[in-house]
Amino acid sequence: MRRLLLLLVLFSLLRVEAYSQRISLTLNDYPPYMGTHIPYQGILSRLVKEAFALEGVDITLVEVPNNRSIAGPMAGLYDGTFGWAYTPERAEKLLYSDALLTFHMVFFQRKERVINWQTMEDLIPYNIGITKGNFVSNDFSRLQQEGKLQVDEGPDDPSGMRKLLLQRIDLFPMEKEAGQYLLASLFQPGQQRQIVANSHTIWEVPVHLLIYRGHPQAAELISRFNRGLAKLKQSGQYERLILDTRAAILKAASLSAP
C-alpha cells in the first residue's frame, strides 16, 4: 500500500511539473503595447502573461532591440516573441497564435495641414518621414524603390515626430495608439495639439504570439496560449485588462511628460 501511495504521489508531481512551464519571450520597446519602463510592461505583455498563466505557463521577458526581438526567436535563441504580424518568412520558423490585437497604421500630420489621400500615389508631392527598418506598406516600399516618393529616413519614432513639428516633413507613419502615446509622453501639450492622426488608415493587421518551431513543445504552447486567451475573452477579463492597462500607462505618461 505504501508503495502504491508513493507511486501516486510521484505521478501527481510529474503531472504538475509537466503542466507548469517557464519560457522566454523577447520584449522590445513599443509603448503602450510593450516596454520595460511602463506599467505592466505594456498592454500586449499583460495579455500574454495572463493568458499563459491560466494554462500554467510562466514567462520570462527578455528586453532586446527591435530587430533582435524577431530575429532571436527565429534563430532559436529565445522560445518566442509577441506583437508581430504574419509573414511567410516568419511562419517558416515560428508558429502563430490566434490574434492578440489589431494594429492600425496611420500617417500623423500637422493639424494645420490636413492631407487627404486614397492611394500611395497621392502622396508623391509630399515629404514623408519613416523610421529606419520600419515597414509602411507594400505600395509604399514599391514607390520608394522606384524613387517616386520623397522619403526622409530617421533613427527612431521620436525623431520623426520632431521633424513633423518642425515642418521638415509633411507625414509620419506610425501605429495609431503608439503614436498617440509617444506624443503624450515626450511632447509638451501645445506641441501635442499641433499633431493629429490622418483619418485614412494605411492598413489594419492582427498581431500574434509566436513560438519557435524548434521548441519541443511548440504546438502545445500555442494551444495552451490560445485556450488561455479564449478564457480571457469569454470571461470579459480581456477587455478589462486592456482598458485598465491603457489607463495606467497613459497616467504614467502624463506624469512624466515634459
Side-chain angles (χ1 to χ4, degrees):
M1 178 62 72
R2 179 179 295 178
R3 180 177 295 179
L4 178 59
L5 288 173
L6 287 173
L7 287 173
L8 288 172
V9 170
L10 180 59
F11 179 69
S12 176
L13 290 174
L14 288 173
R15 288 188 63 187
V16 170
E17 178 65 26
Y19 192 73
S20 298
Q21 192 169 359
R22 177 173 290 276
I23 61 172
S24 62
L25 302 178
T26 59
L27 176 72
N28 61 297
D29 192 40
Y30 197 61
Y33 300 109
M34 297 166 279
T36 302
H37 304 296
I38 56 177
Y40 304 103
Q41 295 179 291
I43 295 170
L44 286 179
S45 302
R46 193 176 187 188
L47 289 176
V48 169
K49 290 177 187 176
E50 295 290 341
F52 262 140
L54 290 174
E55 292 295 314
V57 179
D58 294 324
I59 64 173
T60 297
L61 296 180
V62 183
E63 185 180 14
V64 295
N66 183 67
N67 187 57
R68 187 176 176 85
S69 185
I70 187 68
M74 289 179 71
L77 300 178
Y78 309 96
D79 298 323
T81 184
F82 56 92
W84 298 91
Y86 176 88
T87 70
E89 178 188 10
R90 294 170 186 167
E92 289 180 2
K93 301 288 186 180
L94 304 163
L95 291 180
Y96 276 73
S97 73
D98 294 339
L100 266 168
L101 277 178
T102 298
F103 279 3
H104 303 265
M105 179 70 78
V106 299
F107 283 113
F108 283 83
Q109 60 191 5
R110 292 188 302 278
K111 191 175 183 179
E112 67 189 30
R113 191 185 189 195
V114 174
I115 297 171
N116 296 313
W117 69 281
Q118 294 299 318
T119 69
M120 286 293 165
E121 282 79 2
D122 296 335
L123 303 180
I124 288 175
Y126 303 103
N127 292 317
I128 305 170
I130 62 169
T131 297
K132 185 176 182 180
N134 282 5
F135 174 79
V136 179
S137 76
N138 288 326
D139 285 342
F140 187 95
S141 297
R142 174 179 58 81
L143 291 172
Q144 183 182 4
Q145 290 170 3
E146 293 172 357
K148 294 181 179 179
L149 291 179
Q150 303 173 61
V151 176
D152 186 332
E153 190 176 71
D156 52 40
D157 293 332
S159 298
M161 284 293 190
R162 291 188 186 98
K163 289 178 185 177
L164 193 56
L165 280 165
L166 294 170
Q167 302 184 37
R168 290 172 54 188
I169 58 175
D170 301 306
L171 297 165
F172 184 66
M174 274 194 74
E175 200 284 327
K176 186 175 182 179
E177 190 167 354
Q180 291 170 335
Y181 173 85
L182 188 153
L183 286 168
S185 59
L186 295 183
F187 294 90
Q188 299 282 354
Q191 294 174 312
Q192 296 172 36
R193 289 191 289 271
Q194 296 178 49
I195 305 297
V196 295
N198 191 285
S199 59
H200 187 72
T201 302
I202 301 172
W203 47 252
E204 297 180 358
V205 61
V207 294
H208 310 259
L209 167 86
L210 295 80
I211 297 294
Y212 176 55
R213 284 183 177 272
H215 191 287
Q217 286 87 43
E220 175 62 18
L221 285 168
I222 289 292
S223 295
R224 288 162 78 170
F225 178 78
N226 287 341
R227 288 197 299 269
L229 185 62
K231 290 176 183 176
L232 287 179
K233 291 181 177 181
Q234 290 163 5
S235 68
Q237 188 70 358
Y238 174 85
E239 290 294 341
R240 287 194 294 273
L241 286 170
I242 292 174
L243 292 174
D244 177 67
T245 309
R246 178 184 288 127
I249 291 171
L250 290 177
K251 181 179 180 180
S254 66
L255 293 174
S256 63

